Every structure is written in C-alpha cells, then in structure tokens.
Amino acid sequence: MKRAAVRMVDVAALAGVSAGTASKALSNTGQLSQETRDRVRRAAAQLGFTPDTRGRALSSGRTYTVALLTTDSSGRFSIPIMRGVEDVLSAGELATVLCDTRDDPLREQTYLRSLVARGVDGIVVTGRRTEPRPPIDVPLPVVYALAASTDPADASVIVDDAGGAAAIIEHLQGLGRTRIAHITGPSNHRSAVERAHAVAGALCTEPLFGDWSERWGRQATDLVLREHPDAISCGSDQIARGVCDRLRELGRTVPDDLAVTGYDNWPVMALASRPPLTTVDLRLEELGRRAATLLLEKIAGTAHHGVLELPAQLITRESTLGS
C-alpha cells in the first residue's frame, strides 16, 4: 500500500506551529526565532518531508533561484561568501547560481539581462574589493555583500575593517610591543587605507603602501627595520608571509625579535606561514549568511535599507604568541 505523501500541515502539527509558520521556517523567511525554525526543520526531517519545488514555483510565480554576482574571478572572497549564502538558501530549497563578471561591465550587463529574463528571485552582489559600488538596475530584490552600494536605500552587508585593525594593535600592545610598523597594500584600495588609518596612532613610522604580495612584504621589511620596530602589522596575510620570510633570511626570530600580524585569515597564507600568523578573520561565511537572510526577507516583502557592518575576529597564533 502506497504511503501518503507528507504535507506541510503534517510538519506543522508535529512542530506545534501553524502551516504558515512551518512554511516560513522551511523557506527561511519571516520573523521567526531560531528555536522555531530548528523545531520545524527537525519535524520535517523526522517525517521525511520534501517540498514540491516545481509545484511551489508554478503556484507562486517564483523560480526559487538566487544569483551571486561577483567580480572576484579567483574566488578568494566570493566562494566563502557563497558558502554562507547557500547555508541559508538551502534550508528553503533555493538554488544558488554563481555569475563571475571578471570585473567587466559589459559582461555584468549581459548576466543581468539573462538573470532578469530567467526570473531569478533575487541577487547578491559581491566582489574582491570593499569600495562602495554603483547599484545595479534590475526589477529584482538585491543585497550587496563586502562592498556596499552607493545608494543608501539599498541593503548592504560589509566588514568592520577598522575594528579588525584596531584589535590587532590592542593585541600587540597587550604583549608589550611599543614600536609597531605597518606594511599594507595599494593606497587606492579602501581596505588598505582603512586598516592603515585605524592603526596610525600606534605606529613608530608612517604606514608603507605597496602591493598585496609576498614580494612587497619582503621588500618593505628592509625599509621598516631602519626604525627598529618590535612588531610589524600587515594589511594582508600575503604581505605578512613575505615579512616572515625576509626576517628569517636576516636571522631575526618571529616573534622573539619581532611580532608579525596579517589580515584576512586566508588559510593558504596564514597557516602555511612560518610561523603561522596571528591575523584577522573577515568572517566571510557569516557575511554571506546575513546577506542571504536580508535577501530572503526582501523577497518576502520586508524592505531593508542602509549598511550593516559586521565585526571581524582576531585570530591569535604563533607569529605573536610563540610556540
């Protein structure tokens, strides 16, 4: 005898909520507590409930697809953000489509025309830089992640770069480091400028701007050592790894002679450095989760405006604490 299909009302009854609340919990929409969402999801899993995505799409006029539009061809920033987006969207049986514009405005416009024609439910716009960007012009819900929209009416989620840099300085000073130098990326990059500005008052010399590269870290090390620092904070993990390599070549020990810090918590750099780097985690997956939650709420009709700034997280390792 064929078993009857599990319905939304069955999930709702088991979870002790209304069918509407169960639907919102499974699609990750509405103003529900996390406890309620978790209870509904447990009930759905216990009953083996599978949403009829095709039926939902036909009846609602939605495609249950969201696009992640990015300029970050390498995936360094967009992939962690996408993981966070998918954490939220997958709970509601929504699919995520990655669209890489390769920083090409014409390619971006081509993608946007295609996404509108396909009727995606919404778009998360992101990239590899933090400069505010012009908004995209589409008749769809849109949320901006990492780089804010220049339109204050839009919803944007960004990282508190200045707060992360300040946490590094507080950590170094707490270890008794009093002569701190700073090596960072290009002076026309907002992230480099914000991080340098946040630490300027604690430095023994002017910040050095250059490239986001290990090579620049090695070159700049020779320059800052003229000021006899006892710590070097860096605007990226790549730069910090280059600093550590150069100090080792010069016979200096990290952190006994000089403490070194990075920024970004990029595992391929921060963990492979010798020694592993104390750094700042941008919490990109959490940024993606928050952006996706805002997008779902916009799709459901709740308007969000302005910039939400998420705190970064200090990660301490051997480059300041020792082995």
Side-chain angles (χ1 to χ4, degrees):
M1 182 171 165
K2 186 176 179 181
R3 182 181 176 184
V6 178
R7 301 168 300 166
M8 185 69 74
V9 292
D10 301 320
V11 175
L14 181 59
V17 298
S18 68
T21 296
S23 177
K24 291 176 182 178
L26 293 177
S27 62
N28 210 45
T29 58
Q31 301 294 322
L32 305 179
S33 69
Q34 191 60 48
E35 189 278 330
T36 298
R37 294 186 194 279
D38 291 342
R39 190 167 75 250
V40 172
R41 289 169 186 164
R42 287 194 298 269
Q46 182 177 333
L47 294 174
F49 174 72
T50 303
D52 181 4
T53 305
R54 184 173 59 179
R56 278 197 304 168
L58 290 173
S59 63
S60 66
R62 290 175 53 186
T63 60
Y64 289 90
T65 302
V66 165
L68 183 73
L69 186 74
T70 180
T71 61
D72 177 27
S73 297
S74 70
R76 163 68 188 94
F77 301 99
S78 59
I79 295 303
I81 290 173
M82 185 172 71
R83 285 199 295 264
V85 168
E86 289 185 330
D87 284 347
V88 172
L89 299 184
S90 62
E93 301 292 323
L94 278 77
T96 308
V97 178
L98 178 64
C99 302
D100 175 16
T101 71
R102 304 178 193 174
D103 227 356
D104 181 349
L106 293 178
R107 190 178 182 89
E108 178 175 287
Q109 290 304 312
T110 299
Y111 268 128
L112 291 176
R113 287 193 295 270
S114 175
L115 294 172
V116 171
R118 291 171 182 268
V120 298
D121 293 337
I123 301 175
V124 175
V125 178
T126 189
R128 65 176 183 274
R129 292 181 62 167
T130 62
E131 284 77 13
R133 58 154 291 159
I136 61 175
D137 184 14
V138 293
L140 298 168
V142 179
V143 172
Y144 298 82
L146 194 62
S149 167
T150 54
D151 186 344
D154 289 329
S156 304
V157 186
I158 65 173
V159 179
D160 181 7
D161 260 331
I168 284 282
I169 295 301
E170 183 179 355
H171 170 67
L172 290 172
Q173 291 177 332
L175 295 173
R177 307 289 175 161
T178 59
R179 295 187 58 78
I180 303 172
H182 186 70
I183 303 170
T184 191
S187 59
N188 63 343
H189 280 221
R190 178 177 179 271
S191 54
V193 172
E194 282 210 341
R195 295 167 193 178
H197 180 73
V199 304
L203 302 182
C204 64
T205 184
E206 291 295 314
L208 288 183
F209 293 92
D211 301 320
W212 300 116
S213 68
E214 295 172 73
R215 179 183 179 186
W216 166 237
R218 291 192 294 270
Q219 292 174 338
T221 298
D222 289 336
L223 299 176
V224 300
L225 286 179
R226 299 170 185 172
E227 303 299 327
H228 308 290
D230 56 16
I232 302 175
S233 75
C234 301
S236 78
D237 294 335
Q238 286 175 280
I239 294 172
R241 184 172 173 179
V243 169
C244 288
D245 286 349
R246 181 56 180 155
L247 289 174
R248 188 167 56 253
E249 290 171 356
L250 294 172
R252 306 290 187 92
T253 302
V254 177
D256 294 342
D257 295 328
L258 291 97
V260 177
T261 63
Y263 206 106
D264 293 337
N265 197 30
W266 187 10
V268 71
M269 288 290 166
L271 297 179
S273 176
R274 292 187 291 169
L277 295 172
T278 287
T279 184
V280 171
D281 194 320
L282 299 177
R283 301 174 67 224
L284 295 175
E285 290 191 25
E286 176 60 20
L287 186 145
R289 285 190 285 269
R290 296 298 288 274
T293 299
L294 289 178
L295 184 64
L296 286 177
E297 291 175 358
K298 291 192 74 171
I299 291 169
T302 302
H304 291 277
H305 309 285
V307 178
L308 173 63
E309 192 171 54
L310 300 184
Q313 181 181 6
L314 176 68
I315 305 295
T316 56
R317 297 192 181 100
E318 288 91 328
S319 69
T320 59
L321 300 180
S323 56

